[in-house]
Amino acid sequence: MKTAQGIPLDYYLWLSAALFTIGVLGVLFRRNAIVIFMCIELMLNAVNLLLVAFSNYYSDASGQVFVFFIMAVAAAEVAVGLAILMLMYRNTKTTDINILNRLKW
Amino acid sequence: MTFTNNLFYFLSFVAVLSALMVVLSKNPVHSVLYLIITFFAIAGHYVLLNAQFLAAVHVIVYAGAIMVLFLYVIMLLNLNHESETHKSTLMKLAATISAGLLLVVLIGSIRGSEQMMIQPQQVEVGSVKDMGRVLFKEFLLPFEISSVLLLVAMIGAVMLGKNEEEGKNAS
Protein backbone atom coordinates (compact mmCIF):
# COMPACT_ATOMS: atom_id res chain seq x y z
CA MET A 1 0.00 0.00 0.00
CA LYS A 2 2.87 2.38 -0.62
CA THR A 3 3.82 4.50 -3.60
CA ALA A 4 7.30 4.35 -5.06
CA GLN A 5 8.47 7.00 -2.61
CA GLY A 6 7.29 5.16 0.49
CA ILE A 7 4.23 7.30 1.22
CA PRO A 8 1.05 5.26 1.75
CA LEU A 9 -1.52 5.60 -1.02
CA ASP A 10 -4.22 6.24 1.61
CA TYR A 11 -2.66 9.61 2.42
CA TYR A 12 -3.15 10.73 -1.15
CA LEU A 13 -6.73 9.48 -1.09
CA TRP A 14 -7.44 11.53 2.03
CA LEU A 15 -5.67 14.61 0.73
CA SER A 16 -7.61 14.48 -2.53
CA ALA A 17 -10.88 13.96 -0.68
CA ALA A 18 -10.10 16.99 1.50
CA LEU A 19 -9.21 19.20 -1.47
CA PHE A 20 -12.29 18.10 -3.40
CA THR A 21 -14.50 18.82 -0.40
CA ILE A 22 -12.99 22.29 -0.03
CA GLY A 23 -13.81 22.89 -3.69
CA VAL A 24 -17.42 21.80 -3.17
CA LEU A 25 -17.60 23.97 -0.06
CA GLY A 26 -16.42 26.97 -2.06
CA VAL A 27 -19.03 26.42 -4.77
CA LEU A 28 -21.77 26.26 -2.13
CA PHE A 29 -20.35 29.00 0.08
CA ARG A 30 -19.62 31.92 -2.22
CA ARG A 31 -21.75 34.07 -4.50
CA ASN A 32 -18.99 35.54 -6.64
CA ALA A 33 -18.92 33.63 -9.95
CA ILE A 34 -15.13 34.04 -10.34
CA VAL A 35 -14.44 32.45 -6.95
CA ILE A 36 -16.81 29.62 -7.88
CA PHE A 37 -14.73 29.11 -11.02
CA MET A 38 -11.58 28.91 -8.94
CA CYS A 39 -13.17 26.30 -6.69
CA ILE A 40 -14.04 24.22 -9.76
CA GLU A 41 -10.36 24.37 -10.70
CA LEU A 42 -9.55 23.18 -7.19
CA MET A 43 -11.82 20.14 -7.61
CA LEU A 44 -10.22 19.31 -10.97
CA ASN A 45 -6.81 19.48 -9.31
CA ALA A 46 -7.85 17.15 -6.50
CA VAL A 47 -8.87 14.57 -9.10
CA ASN A 48 -5.63 15.13 -11.03
CA LEU A 49 -3.56 14.54 -7.92
CA LEU A 50 -5.37 11.27 -7.24
CA LEU A 51 -4.89 10.13 -10.85
CA VAL A 52 -1.14 10.82 -10.64
CA ALA A 53 -0.91 8.99 -7.30
CA PHE A 54 -2.64 5.91 -8.72
CA SER A 55 -0.55 6.11 -11.88
CA ASN A 56 2.58 6.07 -9.74
CA TYR A 57 1.23 3.24 -7.62
CA TYR A 58 0.36 0.98 -10.54
CA SER A 59 3.36 2.13 -12.63
CA ASP A 60 1.03 2.94 -15.53
CA ALA A 61 1.69 6.09 -17.54
CA SER A 62 -1.89 6.17 -18.90
CA GLY A 63 -3.08 7.93 -15.75
CA GLN A 64 -0.62 10.74 -16.28
CA VAL A 65 -1.66 11.10 -19.91
CA PHE A 66 -5.21 11.40 -18.64
CA VAL A 67 -4.14 14.23 -16.33
CA PHE A 68 -2.54 15.90 -19.32
CA PHE A 69 -5.86 15.84 -21.20
CA ILE A 70 -7.75 17.07 -18.14
CA MET A 71 -5.39 20.06 -18.05
CA ALA A 72 -6.14 20.82 -21.73
CA VAL A 73 -9.88 20.60 -21.10
CA ALA A 74 -9.56 22.79 -17.98
CA ALA A 75 -7.71 25.46 -19.95
CA ALA A 76 -10.44 25.46 -22.63
CA GLU A 77 -13.14 25.54 -19.96
CA VAL A 78 -11.58 28.50 -18.17
CA ALA A 79 -11.17 30.49 -21.40
CA VAL A 80 -14.79 30.03 -22.46
CA GLY A 81 -16.14 30.37 -18.92
CA LEU A 82 -14.37 33.65 -18.28
CA ALA A 83 -15.57 34.96 -21.66
CA ILE A 84 -19.15 34.12 -20.63
CA LEU A 85 -18.50 35.83 -17.30
CA MET A 86 -17.31 38.96 -19.10
CA LEU A 87 -20.46 38.93 -21.21
CA MET A 88 -22.57 38.53 -18.09
CA TYR A 89 -20.78 41.40 -16.38
CA ARG A 90 -21.27 43.62 -19.42
CA ASN A 91 -25.02 43.06 -19.23
CA THR A 92 -25.68 42.99 -15.48
CA LYS A 93 -22.67 44.93 -14.06
CA THR A 94 -22.15 42.27 -11.42
CA THR A 95 -20.71 38.77 -10.99
CA ASP A 96 -23.23 37.75 -8.35
CA ILE A 97 -24.76 34.40 -9.29
CA ASN A 98 -28.04 35.26 -7.56
CA ILE A 99 -28.70 37.79 -10.32
CA LEU A 100 -28.65 34.95 -12.83
CA ASN A 101 -31.49 32.94 -11.32
CA ARG A 102 -34.03 34.40 -13.73
CA LEU A 103 -32.05 33.13 -16.75
CA LYS A 104 -32.67 36.45 -18.52
CA TRP A 105 -31.37 39.99 -18.20
CA MET B 1 12.08 8.13 3.70
CA THR B 2 11.60 10.42 6.67
CA PHE B 3 12.49 13.39 4.53
CA THR B 4 9.93 12.51 1.85
CA ASN B 5 7.30 11.91 4.53
CA ASN B 6 7.99 15.30 6.08
CA LEU B 7 7.89 16.91 2.66
CA PHE B 8 4.54 15.23 1.98
CA TYR B 9 3.08 16.51 5.26
CA PHE B 10 4.36 20.03 4.61
CA LEU B 11 3.02 20.16 1.04
CA SER B 12 -0.35 18.72 2.11
CA PHE B 13 -0.62 21.24 4.92
CA VAL B 14 0.17 24.14 2.58
CA ALA B 15 -2.25 22.84 -0.08
CA VAL B 16 -5.20 22.35 2.28
CA LEU B 17 -4.63 25.58 4.20
CA SER B 18 -4.35 27.77 1.11
CA ALA B 19 -7.33 25.96 -0.47
CA LEU B 20 -9.36 26.91 2.60
CA MET B 21 -8.12 30.48 2.31
CA VAL B 22 -9.31 30.55 -1.33
CA VAL B 23 -12.82 29.94 -0.06
CA LEU B 24 -12.67 32.12 3.02
CA SER B 25 -10.81 35.24 1.89
CA LYS B 26 -13.04 38.20 1.14
CA ASN B 27 -11.04 39.73 -1.69
CA PRO B 28 -11.09 37.84 -5.05
CA VAL B 29 -7.49 38.87 -5.74
CA HIS B 30 -6.38 37.21 -2.50
CA SER B 31 -8.33 34.11 -3.54
CA VAL B 32 -6.36 33.96 -6.78
CA LEU B 33 -3.05 34.35 -4.97
CA TYR B 34 -3.90 31.60 -2.50
CA LEU B 35 -4.96 29.39 -5.40
CA ILE B 36 -1.53 29.90 -6.96
CA ILE B 37 0.07 28.69 -3.69
CA THR B 38 -2.21 25.63 -3.80
CA PHE B 39 -1.16 24.90 -7.36
CA PHE B 40 2.52 25.12 -6.47
CA ALA B 41 1.96 22.73 -3.56
CA ILE B 42 0.21 20.29 -5.90
CA ALA B 43 3.11 20.63 -8.36
CA GLY B 44 5.40 19.70 -5.46
CA HIS B 45 3.26 16.61 -4.91
CA TYR B 46 3.71 15.70 -8.58
CA VAL B 47 7.48 15.94 -8.20
CA LEU B 48 7.20 13.78 -5.09
CA LEU B 49 5.22 11.23 -7.12
CA ASN B 50 7.98 11.12 -9.74
CA ALA B 51 5.88 12.86 -12.42
CA GLN B 52 8.32 15.60 -13.39
CA PHE B 53 6.79 16.29 -16.79
CA LEU B 54 3.34 16.83 -15.29
CA ALA B 55 4.78 19.06 -12.57
CA ALA B 56 6.33 21.33 -15.20
CA VAL B 57 3.18 21.36 -17.33
CA HIS B 58 1.06 22.01 -14.24
CA VAL B 59 3.09 25.06 -13.26
CA ILE B 60 3.10 26.39 -16.83
CA VAL B 61 -0.60 25.83 -17.55
CA TYR B 62 -2.20 26.56 -14.18
CA ALA B 63 0.07 29.02 -12.42
CA GLY B 64 1.21 30.56 -15.70
CA ALA B 65 -1.79 30.68 -18.00
CA ILE B 66 -5.03 30.09 -16.12
CA MET B 67 -4.21 32.24 -13.12
CA VAL B 68 -3.07 35.11 -15.34
CA LEU B 69 -6.42 34.82 -17.11
CA PHE B 70 -8.24 34.99 -13.77
CA LEU B 71 -6.23 37.99 -12.59
CA TYR B 72 -6.76 39.70 -15.92
CA VAL B 73 -10.52 39.25 -15.75
CA ILE B 74 -10.62 40.48 -12.13
CA MET B 75 -8.60 43.52 -13.16
CA LEU B 76 -10.87 44.11 -16.16
CA LEU B 77 -14.05 43.83 -14.07
CA ASN B 78 -12.48 45.95 -11.32
CA LEU B 79 -13.47 43.51 -8.59
CA ASN B 80 -10.56 44.20 -6.25
CA HIS B 81 -12.73 45.73 -3.57
CA GLU B 82 -14.37 43.98 -0.64
CA SER B 83 -17.95 45.17 -1.18
CA GLU B 84 -18.98 41.76 -2.45
CA THR B 85 -22.36 40.41 -1.37
CA HIS B 86 -22.32 37.25 0.73
CA LYS B 87 -24.82 34.55 1.41
CA SER B 88 -26.79 34.58 4.65
CA THR B 89 -25.42 32.83 7.72
CA LEU B 90 -28.00 30.08 7.41
CA MET B 91 -26.95 29.36 3.82
CA LYS B 92 -23.28 29.35 4.83
CA LEU B 93 -24.02 26.92 7.66
CA ALA B 94 -25.98 24.67 5.29
CA ALA B 95 -23.13 24.78 2.76
CA THR B 96 -20.56 23.84 5.42
CA ILE B 97 -22.70 20.98 6.70
CA SER B 98 -23.28 19.65 3.17
CA ALA B 99 -19.57 19.78 2.37
CA GLY B 100 -18.76 18.05 5.67
CA LEU B 101 -21.27 15.32 4.88
CA LEU B 102 -19.63 14.86 1.47
CA LEU B 103 -16.25 14.48 3.20
CA VAL B 104 -17.75 11.87 5.54
CA VAL B 105 -19.15 9.96 2.55
CA LEU B 106 -15.83 10.10 0.70
CA ILE B 107 -13.81 8.92 3.71
CA GLY B 108 -16.36 6.21 4.42
CA SER B 109 -16.06 4.91 0.88
CA ILE B 110 -12.25 5.09 0.95
CA ARG B 111 -11.97 3.23 4.26
CA GLY B 112 -12.18 -0.49 3.93
CA SER B 113 -11.12 -0.51 0.30
CA GLU B 114 -7.50 -1.37 1.17
CA GLN B 115 -7.79 -5.12 0.72
CA MET B 116 -9.02 -4.68 -2.84
CA MET B 117 -5.68 -3.29 -3.97
CA ILE B 118 -2.73 -5.31 -5.14
CA GLN B 119 0.88 -4.21 -4.96
CA PRO B 120 2.29 -4.34 -8.50
CA GLN B 121 5.93 -4.22 -9.44
CA GLN B 122 7.46 -0.78 -9.48
CA VAL B 123 8.84 0.59 -12.73
CA GLU B 124 9.66 4.19 -13.47
CA VAL B 125 7.00 6.21 -15.28
CA GLY B 126 6.47 9.95 -15.50
CA SER B 127 9.68 11.13 -17.13
CA VAL B 128 9.36 13.09 -20.36
CA LYS B 129 10.62 10.07 -22.31
CA ASP B 130 8.03 7.63 -20.95
CA MET B 131 5.21 10.15 -21.16
CA GLY B 132 6.07 10.97 -24.76
CA ARG B 133 6.15 7.33 -25.74
CA VAL B 134 2.69 6.65 -24.27
CA LEU B 135 1.23 9.95 -25.47
CA PHE B 136 2.28 9.55 -29.10
CA LYS B 137 1.67 5.82 -29.44
CA GLU B 138 -1.44 4.84 -27.49
CA PHE B 139 -3.08 8.26 -27.17
CA LEU B 140 -2.22 9.88 -30.50
CA LEU B 141 -5.82 10.40 -31.66
CA PRO B 142 -7.05 11.96 -28.36
CA PHE B 143 -3.98 14.19 -28.45
CA GLU B 144 -4.86 15.49 -31.91
CA ILE B 145 -8.54 15.89 -30.99
CA SER B 146 -7.58 17.93 -27.90
CA SER B 147 -5.83 20.40 -30.21
CA VAL B 148 -9.13 20.83 -32.07
CA LEU B 149 -10.83 21.35 -28.70
CA LEU B 150 -8.40 24.12 -27.82
CA LEU B 151 -8.94 25.77 -31.20
CA VAL B 152 -12.72 25.63 -30.74
CA ALA B 153 -12.39 27.07 -27.23
CA MET B 154 -10.25 29.91 -28.53
CA ILE B 155 -12.73 30.77 -31.30
CA GLY B 156 -15.59 30.54 -28.81
CA ALA B 157 -13.89 32.85 -26.34
CA VAL B 158 -13.17 35.40 -29.07
CA MET B 159 -16.75 35.24 -30.33
CA LEU B 160 -18.17 35.66 -26.84
CA GLY B 161 -15.80 38.47 -25.96
CA LYS B 162 -16.60 40.45 -29.08
CA ASN B 163 -18.66 43.57 -28.56
CA GLU B 164 -22.22 42.98 -29.70
CA GLU B 165 -22.86 46.57 -30.77
CA GLU B 166 -20.01 46.46 -33.27
CA GLY B 167 -21.42 43.28 -34.78
CA LYS B 168 -24.82 44.86 -35.24
CA ASN B 169 -23.35 47.90 -36.95
CA ALA B 170 -21.29 45.78 -39.30
CA SER B 171 -24.16 43.57 -40.48
Side-chain angles (χ1 to χ4, degrees), chain B residues 121-137:
Chain B
Q121 78 281 12
Q122 296 285 355
V123 286
E124 288 288 309
V125 292
S127 66
V128 180
K129 193 178 159 192
D130 297 324
M131 279 287 291
R133 195 182 294 123
V134 176
L135 190 60
F136 291 112
K137 274 189 177 167

Side-chain angles (χ1 to χ4, degrees), chain A residues 31, chain B residues 86-94:
Chain A
R31 278 172 65 178
Chain B
H86 282 273
K87 284 185 176 171
S88 63
T89 317
L90 187 67
M91 288 292 287
K92 283 184 175 176
L93 197 66

